Amino acid sequence: MPDRPNTRLKVMVSSTIIDLPEHRQHTLDACLRQGMFPLMMEHPPTYYSDPISFSLGLVDDADIYIGIYANRYGHVPSGAKNSITEMEYNRAVERGIPRLIFVMHKEHAIKIEDVDIGEGASKLKAFKDRIGSREIIDFFKSPADLRAHVINRLSHHRQPELGRFHYVSEIIAPPEPYIAHPYTLLQSRGLIGRDAELNLLTDWVSQPETEIYSAHILNIVAIGGMGKSALIWKWFNEIAPQEIKPLSGSMWWSFYESDATFENFVMRALVYVGHRPWHEVEKMQPLERELELRAALDQKPFLIVLDGLERILIAYAHMDASRLSDDDLDEKSANIVARSMDLPATASESFIGRHSLRKTADPRAGAFLRKLCSVRASRILISTRLYPADLQLDNGEPRYGSFAYFLRGLNDHDAMSLWREFKVTGRREDLTSLFHTFENHPLLIQSLAAEVANFRKAPADFEKWRNAHPKFDPFNLPLIQVKSHVLLFALQGLGDSARKLLHIIAAFRMPATYDTLVALTVGTGKKFRVFRVEDALDVSLTELQDRGLIGWDRRANRYDLHPVVRGVAWASIGAPAKQDLYTDLHVHFQSVPYKKNWQDISSFDELTATVELYNTLVGLARYDDAYLVFRDRFARAANYRLNAGYQRAMLLEMLFPDGIESEPRLTHLPKKAWTLDALAMSYQLSGQPGRAVQLYRRSNAISEALNDWTNLAIGLSNLSTTLLLSAALREAELAARKAFSLSSERGYKNVKSDSLWLIGRLLATRGVLAEAQQLLNWSLQLSIQTGSYSPYSYLAVCALFAGDYGGAASFAQKATEYCERIQYKRGLIRATRLSGMAALRLGKLAEADECLHRALTQAREVRLVEEELPALTGLAEFRQQQGNVKAARELLDDVWEAAERGPYPLFHADALNIFARIENRAGNHNAAVSASVKAYSLAWCDGPPFSYHIGLEMAKQNLAELGAREPKLPWFVESKFEPMPQIGINPPRE
């Protein structure tokens, strides 16, 4: 039986059990199809002392009563006048709950000896007559006919929840297994074969003395449909509980779920393994959650399964990830450990130099995976299409504590067993030869077998099916095309209704709820309705289930396709049919209620309907309408409430169907400029300033062409900030000075104030401190007059560079007070970090520790990478001063990936300079020299005077102490750049 959420309507199923077992099973499935919970005599709890109390208790607990009557009156308990079945009906009448009555036609009655003889027959007739006088009765002829009647009658009592898209399972207490998202796409009725792999998994947890088994993270890697999840699901549920003892608990988490983010995993896992209440975990900072989760997994033996990990990798970090083809991604990402040998042809030939797609989209998730390698007590089992780059070293070896097992197709014996599971004929030699063309891929075998089994002209006869499909010929195709070829033929035998339903489910990015499918497919008078009544929908859903094409999560009443099937099914739909589907989806999602005030939105899940509406508009090529939905219903909530930079970027990228190098598909230039700027800002705020630069430039070019001087001045300021983060100091200063000139000419005092502190910040970075301080003071004066941003933080930076640590602390405190007053979160994080750095320089170590940790925690909470990296480096410097080299190295380990990905050359240089000092004191001369040389090169930027002054000077000092030469780099050449606008140093009267 499935879990019983409190929100489900409860349906008591009353009938005699002995002569109607198949009918009752169909009724149970009909209740679940309607999203209702069946209460049945087959599942008695232990606390009822007798059958009468139990059965009447079910009626008392029910919201709806179903009575099914055939030809048996039922058991009459000793001393009672009526059968238990009649007692149940009478109790339902007393309670006044809805009663749905179903009676078998006489000519279809089940023939059982002595059933209708004597007193029982007369009582049954009297009972039926009495019911018929007060109830509406449906007559049924078979179990399937009964199921159809039950579905249609229950449909009038279902309470649709069209705004519910995600299923949140209740977190139970360990050691009971916590299954957050059940796996529903099993081969046939269960796993076929895989004995060797099941034994490997068992040995992994029971024989830790060998290399693979000593790894506490085991990755099962294979292309889609190879059976990774099915293998692990069987082992997790049936074998692991017996083999892993003692086990403190086990958890199954699937990243295939649309709401199954890395952050949600950490929170729910911590509630489970840490025995913490949800409200406490929800209030914790992300870094604190991660630390506590790692500690819990390190102390007690838990088994954690992460299914579908590829969904958090860059390769799949797109809105249409569910429809991506494995074939292309395997080639692009090369998912192989370098030392792996003799791999199947479905794996790429090499990954060296082409592994960027296999990194986590969120660097924090990658850092957490790397740290999980060191857990000692627990085991983490991962299934993934792509081997995570974060679990590999630079030379391709697995990180210590991690291992990868590449799953092949079935062996010939198991492949035949899977085929025979569908009762399909065929000569073994012919079938084996066929299976070899696609490497005994389980999903393809299952899909093809189901198609042959349902072949109308000759069910289950493979030879006749093949003769009827002469174009089926996978033998002469490249392997990369065989999968789609076989699946397309496996879908050919579907009826029109089932095929249309399959296409509708394929159009969703996530599992489709039953309520949504009913709203889209059932009814009359609308062009795209597929079914007149719900029982017809049930028939098609059942057909797709029986063929193994969709999975039914009975607990959540949702329906999903295997990613491989979804990709092929979607690709097989013609453009006109896709337009029809998107039109229907658009009508549906447009009617789903949403929160109109963005300040009321507290989680990204609340924006699901908006995202789906946006997705359908893009699918309809209604890009201008999609733009309006994004701007009006998503942008502010994502930016100011949720800090959802990654999600903002993914959605905006959809307005660039020809690639972000091309123009967005919008009709008006102002919309294009806004979209380019918004995407650039999304990249910058999600830790990718390098990707933002060109977008800002293009947005500014449009604003200039439109004579939109206000947005051009703002855009130039945004460009300057991003160029500084990317170490293009000369161009950054040029953009800031242009913004100053333009704002001065046009009287934009707010932009003028901002451009002044931008220039001052850049001059401080270059070491031109006196002039920088003058411009920052001028900006401060203007900000007080105009209400624009007051640059106390950048005055603190300037003071730090000048060695005035007391002044830096004073300015940082003013920045803190100012940002608290205007409720500017990002500015407050920066001020806190600067307070920590000033305290560190002043020797106030306790204050430095507290401020830097707070800044790091808050930066990670809002994913502000440009503050996270310097906070990490500051803490590493602090730990180095304490002599805690191990902690310092661990902090810096979190810098490298994000610094390179950004890129953030200046922050990278700072971290390398600290790292060089650590390695030098540890006696690692070569590592110290290498780090110093790289820091020198990064701090060089455009070459003096447009270099990162303090970073370059520290690298020079490190190299001198190490007795190493400074690298020779090209000097700055002014003639290569556009002339720099000049501004006076002394502020005029404003």
Side-chain angles (χ1 to χ4, degrees), residues 669-802:
L669 286 176
K671 292 179 181 178
K672 292 183 179 183
W674 188 94
T675 302
L676 288 162
D677 184 86
L679 181 56
M681 182 67 71
S682 299
Y683 285 149
Q684 182 177 327
L685 294 179
S686 60
Q688 305 173 82
R691 300 187 71 185
V693 170
Q694 286 298 331
L695 295 168
Y696 276 134
R697 286 175 178 151
R698 290 161 57 191
S699 177
N700 291 343
I702 294 175
S703 295
E704 186 171 14
L706 293 172
N707 296 327
D708 184 356
W709 309 119
T710 302
N711 281 323
L712 177 58
I714 295 171
L716 286 167
S717 298
N718 290 339
L719 174 62
S720 176
T721 299
T722 308
L723 288 167
L724 171 58
L725 293 172
S726 303
L729 301 189
R730 175 58 168 74
E731 190 181 354
E733 190 168 332
L734 175 65
R737 287 175 180 265
K738 283 183 174 181
F740 173 82
S741 298
L742 184 58
S743 58
S744 296
E745 293 170 5
R746 300 281 168 176
Y748 306 146
K749 290 189 176 182
N750 286 0
V751 183
K752 181 177 180 179
S753 175
D754 290 347
S755 60
L756 280 170
W757 64 252
L758 279 168
I759 300 169
R761 179 184 175 191
L762 281 155
L763 291 174
T765 302
R766 297 203 285 119
V768 188
L769 299 177
E771 186 176 347
Q773 189 166 22
Q774 286 180 297
L775 293 178
L776 288 167
N777 284 329
W778 184 3
S779 173
L780 181 59
Q781 292 176 27
L782 274 177
S783 72
I784 294 171
Q785 296 172 19
T786 63
S788 57
Y789 181 70
S790 296
Y792 294 112
S793 289
Y794 300 115
L795 283 163
V797 171
C798 191
L800 277 172
F801 286 165

Side-chain angles (χ1 to χ4, degrees), residues 918-951:
I918 293 171
E919 295 304 309
N920 186 26
R921 292 181 183 179
N924 301 323
H925 181 268
N926 290 340
V929 170
S930 176
S932 297
V933 169
K934 189 170 182 179
Y936 186 104
S937 301
L938 290 169
W940 187 260
C941 302
D942 298 313
F946 292 96
S947 59
Y948 177 33
H949 179 75
I950 196 168

Side-chain angles (χ1 to χ4, degrees), residues 326-341:
D326 275 349
D327 300 330
D328 293 335
L329 286 174
D330 283 340
E331 177 63 25
K332 290 177 182 176
S333 64
N335 62 4
I336 303 176
V337 179
R339 68 190 187 129
S340 296
M341 301 296 292

Side-chain angles (χ1 to χ4, degrees), residues 7 121 170 175 314 327 366 373 388 482 520 526 628 654 689 870 931 940 979:
T7 57
E170 182 180 354
I314 290 175
D327 300 330
C373 292
V482 169
L520 287 168
K526 293 189 178 181
L628 292 174
M654 297 171 70
W940 187 260

Side-chain angles (χ1 to χ4, degrees), residues 375-487:
V375 299
R376 292 167 294 181
S378 297
R379 298 272 174 156
I380 295 91
L381 181 57
I382 292 172
S383 78
T384 178
R385 297 191 195 184
L386 307 176
Y387 186 66
D390 290 287
L391 295 179
Q392 285 180 277
L393 301 173
D394 291 341
N395 63 0
E397 296 286 331
R399 285 185 177 274
Y400 181 77
S402 174
F403 199 85
Y405 178 83
F406 289 86
L407 189 66
R408 299 173 179 271
L410 298 172
N411 61 43
D412 288 349
H413 174 77
D414 292 339
M416 287 301 304
S417 296
L418 178 57
W419 181 265
R420 301 302 186 201
E421 182 78 9
F422 289 84
K423 312 299 182 185
V424 183
T425 65
R427 295 195 321 129
R428 181 182 181 87
E429 296 79 5
D430 295 340
L431 292 170
T432 301
S433 177
L434 170 63
F435 298 161
H436 286 177
T437 65
F438 45 80
E439 296 187 337
N440 290 13
H441 190 288
L443 179 63
L444 300 187
I445 295 172
Q446 169 185 306
S447 301
L448 189 59
E451 160 65 12
V452 176
N454 288 276
F455 182 43
R456 290 180 173 82
K457 294 181 179 178
D461 190 317
F462 177 64
E463 290 300 323
K464 291 183 178 178
W465 179 90
R466 193 165 185 177
N467 290 335
H469 298 84
K471 293 184 179 180
F472 177 74
D473 183 15
F475 294 92
N476 298 315
L477 293 173
L479 180 61
I480 198 170
Q481 298 175 17
V482 169
K483 183 164 56 180
S484 296
H485 178 80
V486 173
L487 273 176

